[in-house]
Amino acid sequence: MVIPVDIYILYMIQCSFYLHSVYGTCFMDAWRKDSIVMLFHHFLTLALIWFSYAARYHNIGALVLLLHDVTDVELEFTKLNTYLRIRNSKKYAIHEHLANVGFLLFAISWFVFRLYWFPLKVLYCSGHGALQRVVEPVPFWFFFNVLLWILQFMNIYWFQFIIVFLYKVATGQMNELEDTREYEAEQRAQAQQKSLSAELKLKDTANGFLKMDGIVANGHSHLLEAGKEATGNGFATGDGVGMNGSTHHQPTRPKTE
């Protein structure tokens, strides 16, 4: 079977892109939580490209590339506006809004194209549909379907990062777009959480000291007032007793004529 020229060009571009992605992940990109999975994904995609081209499964291969490349457009658009939002120590609100819109479209397109259309149009047709419509055994049927299902599990794995990000934004734990796969982002989030906890603890301690100071101050004032009152009464009573005692027990002098 002769492969059309446009399909051949598409395959060569995709193959060169993923070959460069392997090098970029190993030597150029920052190491993230999913870097190992990303490397495995690149090798898996290269295997699908090479074997689908060799076995002339290029029609379903082109569909797989289409369904996965749609989401990359929104992802790169979001990254571009995230990098452009702060330039020369100045923040541009337009890029912040565009990045938020881009990420929302990215999350929706990921679910629609990779978690809905890919299983419906590719996994079902290449798995169940191929066995139902073809009488003769399909070459490499099991091998290709295993690779496609592994790719689907990777899509589910990466979608959980999207869900985590949306949850953090919804609960107020994150105010700006940050890659939840990066260790630095996690460390910053933990540092912010610790700082917030320390501030709350400091406020509680300060309020406790203020309450204790109020109690001690009030106690001292009450004690002082009670002491003053008791001392005053004591002196008054003592003076009264002394005066009375002096009056009653003072000896009388004999009169001299």
Side-chain angles (χ1 to χ4, degrees), residues 208-220:
F209 276 124
L210 289 175
K211 290 179 180 179
M212 290 297 295
D213 289 343
I215 294 173
V216 172
N218 292 331
H220 277 303

Side-chain angles (χ1 to χ4, degrees), residues 3 6-18 41-42 44-50 52-53 57-73 113-114 117-118 121-122 148 151 155:
I3 296 180
D6 54 349
I7 299 295
Y8 171 79
I9 294 174
L10 173 65
Y11 264 64
M12 293 303 104
I13 292 175
Q14 292 287 342
C15 183
S16 61
F17 171 76
Y18 283 103
H41 167 267
H42 295 337
L44 175 69
T45 306
L46 287 171
L48 283 170
I49 291 173
W50 290 339
S52 65
Y53 183 84
Y57 292 155
H58 51 272
N59 289 331
I60 195 168
L63 180 59
V64 172
L65 293 173
L66 172 64
L67 293 176
H68 285 76
D69 286 349
V70 170
T71 58
D72 291 339
V73 177
F113 288 96
R114 298 197 180 198
W117 285 115
F118 178 68
K121 296 298 183 180
V122 175
L148 290 173
L151 183 62
N155 291 332

Side-chain angles (χ1 to χ4, degrees), residues 116-140:
Y116 178 72
W117 285 115
F118 178 68
L120 184 64
K121 296 298 183 180
V122 175
L123 295 179
Y124 179 80
C125 294
S126 65
H128 179 74
L131 294 178
Q132 293 295 323
R133 297 181 182 181
V134 180
V135 178
E136 298 179 359
V138 180
F140 305 106

Side-chain angles (χ1 to χ4, degrees), residues 66-228:
L66 172 64
L67 293 176
H68 285 76
D69 286 349
V70 170
T71 58
D72 291 339
V73 177
E74 289 86 357
L75 177 61
E76 300 304 327
F77 176 80
T78 303
K79 286 183 177 181
L80 178 64
N81 285 279
T82 301
Y83 297 148
L84 291 176
R85 66 184 176 182
I86 298 178
R87 302 193 305 275
N88 298 326
S89 301
K90 183 179 179 181
K91 188 173 183 179
Y92 294 86
I94 181 64
H95 292 293
E96 181 73 23
H97 297 316
L98 290 175
N100 294 332
V101 173
F103 182 81
L104 182 61
L105 295 176
F106 166 70
I108 295 174
S109 64
W110 187 286
F111 178 82
V112 172
F113 288 96
R114 298 197 180 198
L115 301 183
Y116 178 72
W117 285 115
F118 178 68
L120 184 64
K121 296 298 183 180
V122 175
L123 295 179
Y124 179 80
C125 294
S126 65
H128 179 74
L131 294 178
Q132 293 295 323
R133 297 181 182 181
V134 180
V135 178
E136 298 179 359
V138 180
F140 305 106
W141 174 86
F142 182 79
F143 174 75
F144 279 111
N145 278 277
V146 168
L147 295 183
L148 290 173
W149 273 102
I150 293 175
L151 183 62
Q152 178 62 12
F153 286 128
M154 288 184 179
N155 291 332
I156 298 173
Y157 168 75
W158 276 310
F159 189 67
Q160 60 96 13
F161 285 106
I162 301 175
I163 297 299
V164 169
F165 177 85
L166 293 176
Y167 172 77
K168 288 185 177 181
V169 172
T171 55
Q173 300 180 25
M174 186 180 296
N175 298 323
E176 296 181 349
L177 283 176
E178 290 185 354
D179 196 343
T180 55
R181 301 171 303 163
E182 294 184 357
Y183 292 105
E184 292 81 1
E186 184 180 6
Q187 291 174 357
R188 286 194 296 268
Q190 292 177 355
Q192 291 177 357
Q193 189 69 23
K194 289 181 180 179
S195 177
L196 181 61
S197 301
E199 289 180 2
L200 292 176
K201 188 178 293 185
L202 184 60
K203 288 181 180 179
D204 293 338
T205 305
N207 292 332
F209 276 124
L210 289 175
K211 290 179 180 179
M212 290 297 295
D213 289 343
I215 294 173
V216 172
N218 292 331
H220 277 303
S221 61
H222 290 315
L223 288 174
L224 288 174
E225 289 177 1
K228 288 180 180 179

